[in-house]
Amino acid sequence: MSGWLRVVGLGPAGAEWRTPEVADALADAQHIVGYHTYLRRISPPAGATLHGSDNGDELARARHALELTQGGARVVVVSGGDAGVFGMAAAVFEALEGGPPGWRELDVRVLPAVTAMLAAAARLGAPLGHDFCALNLSDNLKPWATIERRLALAAQADFVLALYNPASQARSEQARLAFEVLRQHRAPSAIVAFASSVGRADEELHITTLGEADATRADMRTLILVGSSSTRRIERPGTLPWIYTPRGSRAV
Ligand code: SAH
């Protein structure tokens, strides 16, 4: 029995965003477990079994992967972006913690990858050049009141904010409500960027201000970045400005 489990992120888009370590794990896998959408992004090795599932049953997916590993198989669990950022890695550890003691002896590794926030920031310039925080606007797994409180405190602390999951097919109000909270604590001139489908054919980037930001631009493919009071724009002729946050920050 020499099974192993690798929990990997595929990056935000195609194979060029994937680390060689992740590509090697996929090439050695006997079983690949993940959400259907992510399985469609890979070319599995011959003979590998794909276990696709719908969004929402992460724990069942994680338990299944651990069972296959215990049976001696080489198993890869895939997430989009980085598996540790609002992805499958936490579900695997939740399953492992609540599972049979033998699971703690399995050869489990999490392989890091490029998260959407880093991909979006790179396209836009260097908005994460100084302190930032990342928030998930989905209220599937936490109350909206918690999200509002964290948004308000992060805005007051003048972090650059990366907002994941600003909308989904089932939720359209989150981004609008989030901007309402942020407008109470940040100047209308604060820079806001919408980065959608970064790295994919339908990539779209839009830079505006908090005062003018239109929440309906955000959908489930969008990461929203909100600048701190130090974040600046460098205008460029005929194209989007660069945005960046200087390495030194003013007092707030
Ligand atoms: N584990 C993933 C995040 C999963 S949550 C990661 O590390 O990136 C899903 C959210 O990630 C989306 O709603 C969106 O906010 C963001 N996202 C994922 N891929 C993206 C991409 N290519 N461009 C912009 N945002 C993306």
Side-chain angles (χ1 to χ4, degrees):
M1 295 276 168
S2 55
W4 48 247
L5 178 62
R6 302 289 176 255
V7 188
V8 312
L10 298 178
E16 70 279 18
W17 294 85
R18 212 161 290 163
T19 69
E21 182 182 46
V22 166
D24 287 351
L26 285 166
D28 284 346
Q30 294 171 303
H31 295 272
I32 305 179
V33 179
Y35 178 35
H36 289 299
T37 310
Y38 299 135
L39 294 183
R40 277 196 287 274
R41 279 209 228 150
I42 58 176
S43 334
T49 309
L50 300 188
H51 305 269
S53 54
D54 292 326
N55 231 351
D57 53 4
E58 285 86 6
L59 259 190
R61 203 185 295 163
R63 284 195 202 100
H64 183 210
L66 286 157
E67 280 158 10
L68 290 167
T69 309
Q70 178 137 57
R74 300 190 300 275
V75 184
V76 171
V77 170
V78 296
S79 266
D82 178 83
V85 179
F86 312 132
M88 278 301 295
V92 167
F93 289 107
E94 195 180 332
L96 196 149
E97 188 178 24
W103 283 2
R104 298 178 183 215
E105 291 171 42
L106 295 174
D107 173 5
V108 175
R109 281 179 58 203
V110 181
L111 308 185
V114 178
T115 186
M117 170 178 77
L118 301 184
R123 283 288 197 261
L124 294 161
L128 305 178
H130 201 67
D131 298 345
F132 59 86
C133 82
L135 287 124
N136 188 338
L137 293 192
S138 166
D139 56 358
N140 289 343
L141 295 171
K142 64 188 165 189
W144 178 252
T146 302
I147 300 174
E148 276 195 341
R149 181 172 142 75
R150 289 183 181 167
L151 277 169
L153 292 172
Q156 284 168 43
D158 204 26
F159 285 115
V160 173
L161 306 179
L163 305 179
Y164 282 77
N165 273 313
S168 72
Q169 277 145 354
R171 300 175 291 111
S172 59
E173 281 293 87
Q174 269 79 350
R176 190 182 64 74
L177 294 172
F179 286 141
E180 271 179 22
V181 174
L182 296 176
R183 284 179 184 126
Q184 292 167 29
H185 303 283
R186 286 278 176 86
S189 58
I191 294 172
V192 171
F194 293 83
S196 297
S197 291
V198 175
R200 304 187 205 137
D202 55 338
E203 175 175 306
E204 273 180 71
L205 302 171
H206 178 72
I207 298 176
T208 181
T209 61
L210 184 57
E212 294 189 349
D214 172 7
T216 63
R217 274 192 180 274
D219 62 23
M220 59 194 298
R221 311 160 305 136
T222 309
L223 182 106
I224 301 176
L225 281 167
V226 182
S228 72
S229 62
S230 309
T231 305
R232 307 162 60 81
R233 337 170 22 125
I234 305 175
E235 301 299 337
R236 294 189 291 167
T239 186
L240 276 185
W242 293 119
I243 60 174
Y244 84 104
T245 308
R247 292 166 301 149
S249 177
R250 292 198 298 272
V252 291

